[in-house]
């Protein structure tokens, strides 16, 4: 797959003229040569290929939105290279805009006081869509996102979930080849989230839209992203598949064993002894947990070791949660500071 | 000319949006009319008390004053939204304009439409109609063409200053006070024969801040009073061009400042 987005040593330092309070404070702010500097993105490298769906993750203030703003052409980088489809978005803003869609989860792009459908009409014109294309796309979204019931309601009267659906359709109307989503599921309920995820997955799968997504909802990531780029303090900490991420930062799986009645976990632990590689955690009751490293020993081996020695009624395997990964990553961060 | 058409559609949407709030819509319209109407009444009384100012009689003063109003109206109707650009930026709405395939300047000015500007138009048209009857101008096609050019040039001359002020908000400065100041400078110094303010100020109001070019110089041309001007007759005739040039430069400057736009957090 050809590379669509390329960032090399990408940097953004926010420079703010130092603020002054009091009488003539504004005027001093205006002419000052003193700056406060925030290193929001500090030498980031990554590429995104055509058709990928990439999660761009990191804690609050990591620099995710700032990177998205540079990819979309909102911000001019302080340094480094950013190229989308061969051009620098900030230099060729309007050209870049023609083939990208952007959702800023916190901010709607819809015309607040007008019926939802008016926003679509205006955007259709702005992106110079033909009448036929416009109708086809809009009808598709009305179906897919169930916009029908509130198409004629002023945007300010829509619920957050309805408005977000409207915003997604607005961003995708002109068939962009890249979709940037900055926290698209923020504030949505479980049903709305699911629907949003289905839509995002479908856009990627069916239309081959390349998608860059930021979110703090790890369920989004598990459900949608094959690949994640994890940043913190403006630097890339990890770039790769979710599976590898887990294997690296949360290598442990847990086997949960329900023992037959009368058989305590403590007794089972005794029987198993040191032969089983992994931490055996014996509860008071008949439940035994064995935490093991997935790349050292297979679940199969552990299970047969247990079943050959103890009477077992039920077995389940707990996969590592992405949340554990985040905790490890955030944990390292606190140590690194 | 896709952008022109799009701009028109966005204005129309803005007006429709405004009309959702019917009461407010009507009130703003009324406010505009009352405000401008009382302004006219005040000026009328003031002008009446002088027989002549700097050799300009009452009719000529009214003509000058109304020409300034015309230029102001032509500026303010399409561009008044520029005044709230600092709010747009502070509330984070400017990002959106940068990811759409349309000039952000056009998106800013079409983002709302405040009905009170219709008051400015009404006031200008009414006063101008009256004033034209008080002076003795021979309306040949040439002088009508010049008049139109003068109004457009004047609008752009005032607009240039407003564009420069609005560009300060790219540095996240609040600009409300500064735009009020500019507004008042044009009103105070642009509505009377600039000569009365003295030589240095007249020079400054021509070449530093293009105020005299809005109405004073063009009405001198139209009323055949160029003898008493501080610049030669051919230069005076070219005055509307100064507004155009200023505006072009101001817009260029605005685009340069836009490069420094830093967005807002979250
Ligand atoms: N417009 C701005 N001016 C100055 N500093 C900013 C601006 N926007 C962001 N920052 C700072 O830059 C850093 C990165 O911010 P950014 O918004 O990119 O983080 P983020 O990863 O999107 O965080 P979150 O998950 O909270 O949305 C933060 O320290 C933030 O305070
Ligand atoms: Mg963010």
């Amino acid at each position: 797959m050809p590379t669509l987005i390329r960032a090399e040593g990408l940097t953004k330092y926010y420079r703010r003229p130092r603020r002054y309070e009091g009488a003539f404070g504004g005027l001093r702010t205006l002419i000052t040569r003193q700056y406060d500097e925030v290193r929001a993105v500090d030498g980031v490298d990554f590429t995104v290929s055509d058709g990928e769906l990439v999660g761009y993750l990191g804690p609050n203030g990591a620099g995710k939105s700032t990177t998205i703003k540079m990819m979309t052409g909102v911000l001019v980088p302080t340094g480094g290279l950013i190229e989308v489809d061969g051009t620098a978005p900030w230099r060729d803003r309007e050209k870049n805009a023609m083939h990208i869609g952007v959702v800023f989860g916190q901010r709607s792009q819809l015309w607040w006081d007008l019926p939802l459908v008016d926003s679509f009409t205006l955007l259709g014109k702005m992106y110079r869509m033909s009448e036929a294309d416009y109708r086809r796309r809009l009808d598709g979204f009305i179906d897919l996102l169930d916009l029908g019931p509130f198409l004629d309601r002023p945007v300010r009267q829509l619920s957050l979930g309805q408005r977000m659906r409207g915003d997604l359709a607005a961003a995708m109307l002109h068939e962009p080849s890249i979709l940037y989503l900055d926290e698209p599921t923020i504030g949505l309920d479980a049903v709305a989230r699911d629907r949003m995820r289905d839509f995002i997955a479908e856009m990627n799968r069916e239309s081959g839209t390349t998608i860059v997504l930021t979110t703090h909802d790890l369920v989004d990531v598990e459900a949608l992203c094959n690949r994640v780029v994890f940043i913190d303090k403006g630097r890339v900490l990890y770039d790769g598949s979710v599976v590898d991420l887990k294997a690296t930062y949360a290598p442990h799986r847990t086997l949960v064993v329900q023992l037959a009645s009368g058989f305590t976990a403590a007794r089972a632990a005794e029987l198993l002894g040191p032969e089983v590689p992994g931490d055996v955690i014996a509860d008071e009751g008949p439940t035994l947990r064995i935490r093991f490293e997935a790349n050292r020993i297979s679940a199969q081996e552990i299970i047969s070791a247990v079943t050959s020695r103890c009477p077992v009624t039920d077995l389940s395997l707990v996969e590592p949660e992405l949340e554990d990964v985040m905790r490890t990553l955030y944990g390292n961060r606190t140590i690194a500071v | 000319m896709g952008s022109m058409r799009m701009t028109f559609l966005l204005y129309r949407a803005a007006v429709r949006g405004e009309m959702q709030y019917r009461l407010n819509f009507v009130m703003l319209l009324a406010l505009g009319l009352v405000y401008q109407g009382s302004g006219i009444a005040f000026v009328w009384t003031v002008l009446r008390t002088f027989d002549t100012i700097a050799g300009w009689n009452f009719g000529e003063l009214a003509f000058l004053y109304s020409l300034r109003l015309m230029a102001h109206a032509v500026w303010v109707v399409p561009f008044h939204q520029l005044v709230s650009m600092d709010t747009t930026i502070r509330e984070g709405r400017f990002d959106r304009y940068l990811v759409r395939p349309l000039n952000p300047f056009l998106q800013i000015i079409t983002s709302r439409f405040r009905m009170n500007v219709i008051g400015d138009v009404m006031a200008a048209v009414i006063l101008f109609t009256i004033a034209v009857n008080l002076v003795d101008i021979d309306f040949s096609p040439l002088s009508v063409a010049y008049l139109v050019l003068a109004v457009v040039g004047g609008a752009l001359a005032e607009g240039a200053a407003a564009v420069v002020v609005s560009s300060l908000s790219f540095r996240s400065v609040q600009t409300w006070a500064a735009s009020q100041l500019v507004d008042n400078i044009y009103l105070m110094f642009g509505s009377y024969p600039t000569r009365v303010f003295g030589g240095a100020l007249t020079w400054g109001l021509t070449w530093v801040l293009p105020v005299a070019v809005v109405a004073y110089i063009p009405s001198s041309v139209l009323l055949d009073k160029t003898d008493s001007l501080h610049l030669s007759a051919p230069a005076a005739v070219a005055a509307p061009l100064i507004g155009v040039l200023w505006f072009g430069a101001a817009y260029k400057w605005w685009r340069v400042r836009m490069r420094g736009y830093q967005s807002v957090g979250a």
Side-chain angles (χ1 to χ4, degrees):
Chain A
M1 281 284 160
T3 299
L4 203 54
I5 305 173
R6 177 195 307 282
E8 272 169 27
L10 185 63
T11 308
K12 181 71 197 182
Y13 297 165
Y14 288 108
R15 279 175 96 216
R16 289 277 179 206
R18 184 151 297 159
R19 301 212 161 263
Y20 294 95
E21 302 296 324
F24 302 107
L27 211 56
R28 278 184 78 191
T29 301
L30 202 60
I31 55 176
T32 183
R33 293 263 151 245
Q34 301 235 344
Y35 292 92
D36 297 319
E37 194 175 73
V38 181
R39 303 186 164 211
V41 173
D42 205 2
V44 158
D45 302 287
F46 63 84
T47 59
V48 177
S49 302
D50 199 1
E52 266 194 295
L53 200 172
V54 180
Y56 198 60
L57 311 180
N60 289 131
K64 303 181 295 294
S65 298
T66 304
T67 312
I68 297 249
K69 284 172 190 171
M70 288 191 280
M71 292 192 275
T72 51
V74 170
L75 291 176
V76 181
T78 311
L81 173 96
I82 178 74
E83 235 178 50
V84 177
D85 207 9
T87 56
W90 55 273
R91 198 177 291 128
D92 242 330
R93 234 170 8 74
E94 287 177 31
K95 177 167 164 268
N96 181 58
M98 274 311 271
H99 64 93
I100 64 167
V102 190
V103 174
F104 299 117
Q106 323 257 22
R107 257 176 238 121
S108 180
Q109 73 151 318
L110 305 168
W111 276 256
W112 204 240
D113 291 319
L114 297 179
L116 177 59
V117 67
D118 288 20
S119 291
F120 298 140
T121 317
L122 286 166
L123 289 170
K125 294 269 186 338
M126 199 181 287
Y127 288 91
R128 306 193 261 284
M129 296 176 72
S130 74
E131 192 56 38
D133 275 350
Y134 169 75
R135 262 299 10 131
R136 177 179 55 82
R137 292 289 287 178
L138 184 58
D139 288 346
F141 289 130
I142 291 175
D143 259 11
L144 207 56
L145 291 163
D146 196 16
L147 305 175
F150 48 89
L151 210 50
D152 293 317
R153 293 238 300 272
V155 173
R156 66 172 187 282
Q157 293 176 9
L158 301 184
S159 77
L160 179 64
Q162 294 169 332
R163 207 205 71 205
M164 279 306 298
R165 279 187 267 159
D167 259 304
L168 260 188
M172 287 298 295
L173 195 62
H174 56 289
E175 271 184 291
S177 49
I178 310 173
L179 178 63
Y180 299 96
L181 301 166
D182 196 352
E183 303 195 34
T185 53
I186 194 165
L188 299 184
D189 69 26
V191 178
R193 265 166 208 255
D194 277 347
R195 173 177 229 147
M196 186 72 70
R197 282 180 203 127
D198 289 347
F199 179 81
I200 294 169
E202 168 139 358
M203 284 299 115
N204 179 245
R205 198 165 5 94
E206 305 298 322
S207 327
T209 312
T210 307
I211 298 177
V212 179
L213 163 85
T214 85
T215 180
H216 291 291
D217 184 342
L218 299 174
V219 185
D220 289 348
V221 180
E222 299 255 25
L224 292 170
C225 310
N226 297 318
R227 180 176 153 218
V228 294
V229 176
F230 193 98
I231 67 161
D232 188 22
K233 293 198 162 66
R235 305 209 169 160
V236 175
L237 292 188
Y238 176 85
D239 181 349
S241 73
V242 176
V243 177
D244 289 345
L245 179 67
K246 282 184 183 170
T248 315
Y249 289 95
H252 296 283
R253 301 164 91 186
T254 306
L255 181 71
V256 183
V257 183
Q258 294 295 337
L259 299 158
S261 64
F263 212 81
T264 62
R267 170 115 182 78
E270 236 168 72
L271 280 176
L272 288 170
E275 256 176 69
V276 180
D279 306 326
V280 178
I281 307 149
D283 292 349
E284 280 298 293
T287 310
L288 184 73
R289 285 167 205 282
I290 304 170
R291 198 161 163 273
F292 63 99
E293 274 190 47
N295 51 6
R296 287 263 217 82
I297 184 168
S298 74
Q300 171 64 40
E301 283 172 79
I302 298 226
I303 290 171
S304 60
V306 173
T307 47
S308 67
R309 289 179 177 79
C310 317
V312 172
T313 58
D314 192 22
L315 281 171
S316 62
L317 207 52
V318 179
E319 295 292 330
E321 295 280 339
L322 200 49
E323 219 166 295
D324 300 333
V325 175
M326 297 297 150
R327 238 172 252 127
T328 317
L329 275 171
Y330 291 7
N332 288 350
R333 172 168 88 124
T334 6
I335 293 161
V337 165
Chain B
M1 285 271 79
S3 299
M4 284 300 262
R5 184 171 154 64
M6 197 60 228
T7 307
F8 169 74
L9 291 176
L10 289 173
Y11 273 130
R12 213 176 55 176
V15 172
R16 240 176 325 129
E18 215 65 15
M19 280 173 24
Q20 301 278 314
Y21 305 91
R22 274 174 210 290
L23 181 66
N24 197 47
F25 183 85
V26 173
M27 286 315 224
L28 270 177
L29 202 62
L31 174 77
L33 292 177
V34 169
Y35 180 79
Q36 295 295 339
S38 61
I40 293 180
F42 173 73
V43 170
W44 199 264
T45 333
V46 171
L47 292 184
R48 265 286 174 223
T49 56
F50 299 96
D51 233 6
T52 61
I53 301 177
W56 290 55
N57 66 31
F58 174 70
E60 290 166 340
L61 288 172
F63 181 79
L64 163 56
Y65 195 93
S66 68
L67 191 63
R68 216 286 309 181
L69 277 185
M70 290 285 273
H72 179 71
V74 168
W75 153 252
V76 88
V77 169
F79 295 109
H80 64 276
Q81 217 24 53
L82 213 52
V83 170
S84 345
M85 191 172 113
D86 55 346
T87 318
T88 305
I89 287 182
R90 190 151 29 89
E91 290 173 359
R93 276 177 286 135
F94 196 72
D95 287 6
R96 178 53 62 180
Y97 301 152
L98 292 172
V99 299
R100 285 180 180 157
L102 182 68
N103 186 337
F105 186 83
L106 295 178
Q107 294 184 70
I108 277 278
I109 61 175
T110 54
S111 58
R112 266 195 74 178
F113 194 88
R114 292 173 206 268
M115 286 319 291
N116 48 332
V117 298
I118 299 301
D120 293 76
V121 177
M122 302 281 281
V125 170
I126 292 170
L127 199 64
F128 187 76
T129 317
I130 298 170
V132 162
N133 287 300
L134 295 178
V135 291
D136 145 49
I137 296 179
D138 150 43
F139 279 109
S140 64
L142 193 65
S143 56
V144 171
Y146 182 75
L147 181 69
V148 172
L149 207 67
V151 169
V152 172
L156 293 177
E158 183 174 348
V163 167
V164 170
V165 167
S166 78
S167 77
L168 296 176
S169 47
F170 285 127
R171 211 175 164 167
S172 52
V173 173
Q174 294 198 26
T175 54
W176 183 83
S179 30
Q180 288 299 308
L181 184 66
V182 165
D183 224 50
N184 280 305
I185 289 175
Y186 275 85
L187 174 68
M188 296 237 319
F189 296 105
S191 307
Y192 308 96
T194 311
R195 212 152 64 89
V196 301
F197 301 113
L201 207 52
T202 302
W203 187 87
L205 291 171
T206 308
W207 302 114
V208 181
L209 192 65
V211 176
V213 300
V214 175
Y216 173 53
I217 298 174
S219 46
S220 299
V221 172
L222 284 164
L223 296 168
D224 204 9
K225 297 172 85 71
T226 46
D227 301 352
S228 56
L229 274 180
H230 54 293
L231 63 181
S232 69
V237 172
L241 271 183
I242 296 181
V244 176
L245 294 177
W246 264 104
F247 189 84
Y251 176 70
K252 273 258 153 52
W253 168 255
W254 193 92
R255 296 292 298 206
V256 169
R257 300 302 301 182
M258 196 176 81
R259 283 265 169 105
Y261 172 64
Q262 306 224 51
S263 183
V264 289

